[in-house]
Amino acid sequence: MANGKYTRVDGRRSASSYCSTVTITVFVALCLVGVWMMTSSSSSSVVPVQNVDEPAQEKKSEAKEQLTESNESSSNQQFEDNNADLPEDATKGGKNEKIQENIEKSDEKSNEESKFDDGSNRQTQNDDNKTGDRDSKTDSEGGETNTDESEKKSYSDENGNKSDSDDGEKKSDRKSEESSGEKVDGQVEEKEDQNENKESEKSSDDKKEDGSKNQSSNELFPSGAQLELTNETTTQKGSFSTQATESKNEKEAQQSSNQQNGYNWKLCNVTAGADFIPCLDNLQAIKKLRSTKHYEHRERHCPEEPPTCLVPLPEGYKRSIEWPTSREKIWYYNVPHTKLAKIKGHQNWVKVTGEYLTFPGGGTQFKNGALHYIDFIQESVPDVAWGKRTRVVLDVGCGVASFGGFLFDRGVLTMSFAPKDEHEAQVQFALERGIPAISAVMGTERLPFPGIVFDAVHCARCRVPWHIEGGKLLLELNRVLRPGGFFIWSATPVYQKLPEDVEIWNAMSQLIKAMCWELVSISKDTINKVGIAVYRKPTSNECYEKRSQQQPPVCLGSDDPNAAWHVPLQACMHKVPEESLERGSQWPEQWPARLEKTPYWLLSSQVGVYGKSAPEDFTADYEHWKRVVSKSYLNGMGINWSTVRNVMDMRSVYGGFAAAMKDISVWVMNVISIDSPDTLPIIYERGLFGIYHDWCESFSTYPRTYDLLHADHLFSKIKKRCNLVAVVAEVDRILRPEGKLIVRDDVETINELESMVKGMQWEVRMTYSKDKEGLLCVEKSMWRPKELETIKYAIA
């Protein structure tokens, strides 16, 4: 029963289950058909995309790998001045060509893009994914980035700011820069980055094509007046075939062709030989002098036509010994003169020691050491405060300049000078040692310095007849000495009792009293066995007005104390500045604060050299040169600065270049051309020094006395009134073999100079041109021509 019952029930359930199964099967079949149809439709649209995406993905990976390699390569480059990087084809030279030839073309483009970063390396390998996406369509042959518009519009920099791809906005920014009142004489002061956001924007913008880069508002080379350098190796040549490379190669070929027909250099045949100074060795003019009573024959007598020949090298010349070792000894064959060693050897001036000339550190007045002598002065007069209050010193009749050489140890900069006289080559010895010095004499004309600029004047047995002819020569020191500054006199009249010395002492005492100088100290250095008298110049005119006799007289109000170029000496005193905003009425800040502080007498109502207000101009100039020197010159030009000691800035303006070099062991002679704005007093106010000069004439220094010459838009100016070939010959005369010349100027002038120096077999380490402005860095060689040119006025 039970089984039968259950059998009936199971039969009914089986029929129902069958119907349900059929229904479900049909439904599932319909679903499968639908899914199949949808799948077929989807696959037909996906497959072509897959066929495109696979190789695109591979290309993207390759681009990413290339960028990684280029980043690693870029990190090893010399140049750090990433604020104004250049394309590969902007440089010339030969030192690193082999390295460049081994770099793949695709790597060069990636490397170039990475170099256009803003100097802080913000785009690291953590950004490879973004960079790989942007660079996925890089053309490995042309190096151009073909990023589509959607990528450009959506790309943002690391600060979350969209990069600006609008050329119109960039042109507008650049136009606003150029209209900011910075153009003066065809020069435009470079615009500096205003804030970090702009730097970040530039970091992203610089990844774009070259055309956008050239119009960037933050670009740091809008003109040659404020030219920045690149982030790349100094002598690389671009090896990828772009229009720029092809044009550059053609330009080089043309220059090489032109150079073959360029100036034919000859060797100067003169009596002075390797020591020829054209304006001091004009024997023809010296013979015509009516008198030599006032050392007229030691003054400058420049020929009407400066020489265009090259000065020979001494036989056996070697690369100069590096500072500070050079202070103690130099190569004998570099300055092969023994007369001074014979005359002054017992006084520890200079001695011949094998292949060296050695300098025991003494002199006539400090036989037992200059440092003791220097410290004894400060012990006697604490207000001297070497290296703080007293920073810039004039050393008259310097001998071999050991006094100035050891004042470096006390933070003091010394302008030493002595005549080219029977004390053979004393200034040449000083310069070879790495000590500042010029060939000059106190004769009939003012010294080539502004008024009231030296913190102290020193004379150690300099044998200058200060007291004669109304005290003309001492009054010249009064002109250049800062009010409140010291005159330090250690000569035999101070401490010896011979009749002649006593007579000179009495005459000097009377003159100095009439000049209102105060005798601060007179003391005896028992170790060096010399006496030292220290006088202070007054800071007001009160004493002058109370004098019973107006002798020496006060100079006329029309007499400009800053006029110094070939101005005759006069036996008169200039009044002391007393107005609060008049230069010289206040002592500068202590060193080193005075280096960066804007002089109190530069007023906002005055217009600076570059068109801004004078204080703003001063500050902008300093900031510019700090950046150029730190990012380009010190790190980017491949210069071994341990070999550089004597530096000249041939066109200084505010002295910003020299100020930016303060942390390395060099000294800089700042030159202000006589036809340029007279900014030399500003340079001295900063605790630096310099000189007036006319570059149509030779400089008052011996040959081979500077390690590096720097000229910012000088040659394009002077070639308008001077023979450029003669100026280049003068540069060759001044510069030591293996010395460097850095020129920033217009392209036309750069090309002329490059052709000339190539004719002298100089090595072109770097050239760069952009927007009709350029930069040239060259190194002087040992080459000398064989053909002679006799200079008749220099033959005895």
Side-chain angles (χ1 to χ4, degrees), residues 334-460:
N334 286 13
V335 192
H337 302 297
T338 59
K339 184 177 179 180
L340 193 61
K342 294 175 182 178
I343 297 174
K344 297 291 186 179
H346 66 288
Q347 297 178 350
N348 281 354
W349 276 36
V350 56
K351 295 182 178 181
V352 180
T353 308
E355 59 182 346
Y356 300 103
L357 291 168
T358 58
F359 303 86
T364 306
Q365 297 301 97
F366 29 91
K367 298 177 186 179
N368 293 295
L371 276 177
H372 168 77
Y373 173 83
I374 290 166
D375 292 339
F376 179 78
I377 293 172
Q378 181 159 315
E379 290 171 7
S380 303
V381 185
D383 285 348
V384 167
W386 296 125
K388 294 181 180 178
R389 184 181 188 272
T390 301
R391 163 64 182 174
V392 188
V393 173
L394 179 67
D395 189 18
V396 183
C398 63
V400 295
S402 290
F403 178 72
F406 283 93
L407 273 174
F408 277 111
D409 292 351
R410 300 293 181 263
V412 177
L413 199 58
T414 308
M415 176 74 76
S416 300
F417 75 92
K420 185 178 183 180
D421 60 9
E422 65 276 2
H423 286 167
E424 188 180 40
Q426 51 190 333
V427 167
Q428 190 176 17
F429 283 134
L431 288 160
E432 184 69 18
R433 297 172 71 190
I435 303 171
I438 60 170
S439 290
V441 65
M442 298 198 71
T444 65
E445 296 180 342
R446 290 180 177 178
L447 296 170
F449 314 118
I452 55 176
V453 291
F454 288 101
D455 304 332
V457 178
H458 174 256
C459 167

Side-chain angles (χ1 to χ4, degrees), residues 180-219:
S180 63
E182 295 172 313
K183 288 190 176 182
V184 176
D185 266 344
Q187 300 184 29
V188 183
E189 182 170 12
E190 116 184 306
K191 301 304 289 182
E192 303 185 7
D193 296 340
Q194 300 297 320
N195 51 49
E196 290 299 324
N197 288 336
K198 288 187 178 181
E199 291 182 354
S200 297
E201 291 173 4
K202 181 172 179 287
S203 177
S204 59
D205 287 344
D206 283 347
K207 300 294 187 296
K208 297 182 182 179
E209 60 188 9
D210 292 343
S212 297
K213 292 168 190 162
N214 293 342
Q215 296 182 14
S216 171
S217 63
N218 286 324
E219 190 173 47

Side-chain angles (χ1 to χ4, degrees), residues 735-789:
L735 197 60
R736 289 172 174 170
E738 298 188 16
K740 311 300 187 295
L741 168 67
I742 301 174
V743 182
R744 305 153 75 91
D745 223 308
D746 62 62
V747 169
E748 179 185 355
T749 302
I750 291 290
N751 291 339
E752 289 183 65
L753 293 172
E754 184 178 356
S755 177
M756 290 183 190
V757 299
K758 280 183 176 179
M760 295 188 290
Q761 309 299 317
W762 288 21
E763 178 188 355
V764 178
R765 298 177 62 87
M766 175 181 181
T767 60
Y768 165 55
S769 62
K770 179 179 179 183
D771 297 337
K772 298 182 180 180
E773 300 294 338
L775 180 142
L776 175 68
C777 178
V778 290
E779 179 179 300
K780 179 180 174 179
S781 69
M782 289 275 193
W783 177 86
R784 296 288 90 179
K786 301 296 183 183
E787 187 177 356
L788 295 178
E789 178 181 347

Side-chain angles (χ1 to χ4, degrees), residues 62-75 77 88 103-117 123 131-132 134-136 138-140 142-145 206-207 213 231 240:
E62 293 174 359
K64 180 177 178 181
E65 291 174 1
Q66 290 172 0
L67 180 64
T68 303
E69 293 175 0
S70 69
N71 284 340
E72 293 173 354
S73 174
S74 178
S75 66
Q77 292 182 353
E88 288 288 346
I103 299 176
E104 293 295 330
K105 293 178 181 179
S106 59
D107 287 345
E108 290 175 347
K109 178 56 188 176
S110 299
N111 190 23
E112 182 184 10
E113 291 178 352
S114 67
K115 288 185 297 181
F116 271 83
D117 202 327
Q123 201 74 14
T131 309
R134 291 197 305 277
D135 293 341
S136 62
T138 299
D139 184 342
S140 63
E144 296 295 333
T145 302
D206 283 347
K207 300 294 187 296
K213 292 168 190 162
N231 178 19
F240 47 91

